[in-house]
């Protein structure tokens, strides 16, 4: 009786995970909106935790494994996204910050406008 309900729940979590992944990919790939990207990664971890916890709870509760595989998959994908993406994003943002600092060093304009 819980199969379609669990499937819909897994689909909702997977959709949210996909949208957050797209946001992280677009903004993080450009080195923009660091706070929003890190917040989105936090939400990815939360979604993956909920999915993994629900799969574990279902397993303890005696649900068939075939009903729990989508939830476990969403959890695994979420954790892999963060584990693989976080080091790359940290490097990308560090490079973007270094570019900004170099640009400021090369700026020859006076700090105080002349009147």
């Amino acid at each position: 009786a819980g199969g379609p309900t669990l499937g819909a729940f897994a689909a909702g979590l997977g959709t949210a995970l996909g949208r957050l992944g797209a946001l992280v990919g677009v903004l993080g790939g450009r080195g923009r909106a660091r706070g929003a990207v890190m917040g989105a990664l936090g939400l990815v971890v939360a979604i993956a935790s909920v999915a993994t916890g629900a799969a574990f709870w279902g397993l303890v509760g005696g649900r068939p494994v075939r009903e729990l595989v989508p939830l476990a998959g969403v959890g695994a994908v979420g954790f892999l996204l963060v584990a693989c993406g976080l080091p790359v994003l940290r490097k990308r943002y560090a490079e973007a910050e270094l570019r900004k600092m170099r640009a400021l060093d090369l700026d020859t304009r006076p700090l105080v406008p002349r009147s």
Side-chain angles (χ1 to χ4, degrees), residues 43-55 75 79:
L43 283 175
V44 167
V45 169
I47 289 170
S49 298
V50 167
T52 304
F79 287 128

Side-chain angles (χ1 to χ4, degrees), residues 29-68:
R30 294 180 181 176
R32 304 275 185 199
R34 180 182 178 136
V37 169
M38 294 303 167
L41 284 177
L43 283 175
V44 167
V45 169
I47 289 170
S49 298
V50 167
T52 304
F56 179 73
W57 189 257
L59 190 63
V60 169
R63 295 265 188 197
V65 174
R66 71 178 186 279
E67 291 181 4
L68 303 174

Side-chain angles (χ1 to χ4, degrees), residues 1-107:
T5 304
L6 284 177
F9 183 61
L13 289 178
T15 300
L17 192 72
R19 289 179 183 202
L20 286 171
L23 177 74
V24 167
V26 169
L27 293 177
R30 294 180 181 176
R32 304 275 185 199
R34 180 182 178 136
V37 169
M38 294 303 167
L41 284 177
L43 283 175
V44 167
V45 169
I47 289 170
S49 298
V50 167
T52 304
F56 179 73
W57 189 257
L59 190 63
V60 169
R63 295 265 188 197
V65 174
R66 71 178 186 279
E67 291 181 4
L68 303 174
V69 168
L71 284 171
V74 168
V77 167
F79 287 128
L80 283 173
L81 174 68
V82 173
C84 295
L86 192 57
V88 173
L89 287 170
R90 283 186 177 160
K91 184 178 177 184
R92 171 85 58 188
Y93 283 120
E95 290 170 351
E97 186 67 25
L98 186 59
R99 277 194 307 274
K100 287 179 189 176
M101 292 187 327
R102 284 185 181 154
L104 287 175
D105 286 344
L106 295 176
D107 191 5

